[in-house]
Amino acid sequence: MAQLSGDWQEALQGEFRKEYYAKLYRAVVAEYRTVTVYPPPDEMFNAFHFTPLSETKVVILGQDPYHGPGQANGLCFSVKPGIQTPPSLVNIYKELHDDLGCYVPNNGCLEKWAKQGVLLLNTVLTVRAHQANSHHGLGWEEFTDAVIRILNAQDRPIVYLLWGNPAKRKQLMLDNPGQLVLTAAHPSPFSAYNGFFGCRHFSKTNAFLTEHGLAAIDWQIENI
């Protein structure tokens, strides 16, 4: 498994010493050795590598990585350049267009967001090929819950975008009065019309950030 570095490594070092993480580590290593697992092991912690704790000002929570070949890159909802944009991200782009006027780009790589302080975190960080949510229950949920508790304890403005019921359940952990929690339906084609479209989370996020003296996020993903 990949290793964390920087301020996330320091913040999470206590988790690495816990029994659940030792079991998780053994289980994930065994999976990579015996079956096809996504993302590649050196990209597993990309969300933390691209977005240090000290720079995190927006959090988007996904469920688990895409499970098709070449899709997952360690950032929730994002895919590698050259990979077809998945349906949920297509709907995210549609909402961005309606909310902020962003054009719909020809790719689904969201690294630009991550580099601006948007932590693109899946609640489960690995998955078997072609088996959605197959690593549910291995221990990743406990690890990413710890990430959310660390963020909630930060004495600075952070916005959380919780889309869909699994992400919304994390709201119980978020009680910092100086931070903003926004919830909506999941952007999946099965649910986007139930409250994701029209949520205007992107403009609301930028309004909150600028009100607190922080730079707004440039949400426009450019064509490549």
Side-chain angles (χ1 to χ4, degrees), residues 30-37 128-129 131 135:
E31 286 282 287
Y32 273 108
R33 286 175 177 167
T34 56
V35 297
T36 301
V37 174
R128 281 190 179 190
Q131 297 182 42
H135 283 183

Side-chain angles (χ1 to χ4, degrees), residues 142-154:
E142 188 168 351
F143 180 76
T144 52
D145 279 357
V147 172
I148 294 169
R149 286 193 295 270
I150 288 167
L151 290 162
N152 182 68
Q154 301 299 300

Side-chain angles (χ1 to χ4, degrees), residues 2 14 31 38 42 64-65 69 77 86 89 99 106 121 125 129 136 151 157 166 182 186 195 201 208 219 222:
E31 286 282 287
Y38 300 125
D42 60 344
D64 64 336
F77 293 108
L89 184 52
D99 187 9
N106 62 2
L121 180 67
L125 301 187
H136 167 75
L151 290 162
L182 299 174
H186 195 276
H201 278 186
F208 179 84
W219 295 103
E222 287 83 12

Side-chain angles (χ1 to χ4, degrees), residues 4-68:
L4 276 179
S5 59
D7 57 4
W8 277 117
Q9 165 67 29
E10 182 178 353
L12 289 163
Q13 60 183 337
E15 298 303 305
F16 298 127
R17 294 193 290 266
K18 293 181 179 179
E19 179 59 28
Y20 88 86
Y21 191 85
K23 292 179 180 178
L24 168 65
Y25 182 91
R26 292 192 294 269
V28 172
V29 168
E31 286 282 287
Y32 273 108
R33 286 175 177 167
T34 56
V35 297
T36 301
V37 174
Y38 300 125
D42 60 344
E43 298 179 359
M44 181 191 312
F45 289 132
N46 266 359
F48 306 102
H49 295 154
F50 277 98
T51 313
L53 172 59
S54 60
E55 298 176 17
T56 299
K57 53 186 181 180
V58 181
V59 181
I60 298 178
L61 282 181
Q63 179 175 278
D64 64 336
Y66 295 123
H67 52 83

Side-chain angles (χ1 to χ4, degrees), residues 33-212:
R33 286 175 177 167
T34 56
V35 297
T36 301
V37 174
Y38 300 125
D42 60 344
E43 298 179 359
M44 181 191 312
F45 289 132
N46 266 359
F48 306 102
H49 295 154
F50 277 98
T51 313
L53 172 59
S54 60
E55 298 176 17
T56 299
K57 53 186 181 180
V58 181
V59 181
I60 298 178
L61 282 181
Q63 179 175 278
D64 64 336
Y66 295 123
H67 52 83
Q71 289 182 306
N73 65 357
L75 306 175
C76 76
F77 293 108
S78 177
V79 292
K80 297 178 180 180
I83 299 296
Q84 182 176 357
T85 304
S88 291
L89 184 52
V90 169
N91 287 338
I92 291 171
Y93 285 159
K94 287 179 180 178
E95 175 60 21
L96 262 173
H97 175 268
D98 293 344
D99 187 9
L100 291 173
C102 296
Y103 69 80
V104 176
N106 62 2
N107 69 95
C109 182
L110 304 181
E111 290 181 7
K112 177 181 176 179
W113 294 359
K115 292 175 180 177
Q116 295 179 81
V118 182
L119 183 68
L120 297 169
L121 180 67
N122 280 311
T123 56
V124 173
L125 301 187
T126 54
V127 67
R128 281 190 179 190
H130 311 298
Q131 297 182 42
N133 214 23
S134 49
H135 283 183
H136 167 75
L138 289 185
W140 282 127
E141 293 90 346
E142 188 168 351
F143 180 76
T144 52
D145 279 357
V147 172
I148 294 169
R149 286 193 295 270
I150 288 167
L151 290 162
N152 182 68
Q154 301 299 300
D155 186 21
R156 55 191 173 84
I158 296 176
V159 184
Y160 302 86
L161 306 184
L162 308 183
W163 300 331
N165 290 330
K168 289 178 184 178
R169 285 194 283 271
K170 304 299 187 184
Q171 189 172 4
L172 296 173
M173 304 170 61
L174 299 170
D175 58 4
N176 187 324
Q179 300 179 354
L180 176 65
V181 179
L182 299 174
T183 63
H186 195 276
S188 160
F190 299 106
S191 56
Y193 285 97
N194 294 327
F196 179 76
F197 289 137
C199 71
R200 299 185 64 84
H201 278 186
F202 304 101
S203 59
K204 291 176 181 177
T205 293
N206 280 352
F208 179 84
L209 294 175
T210 55
E211 286 168 7
H212 290 83

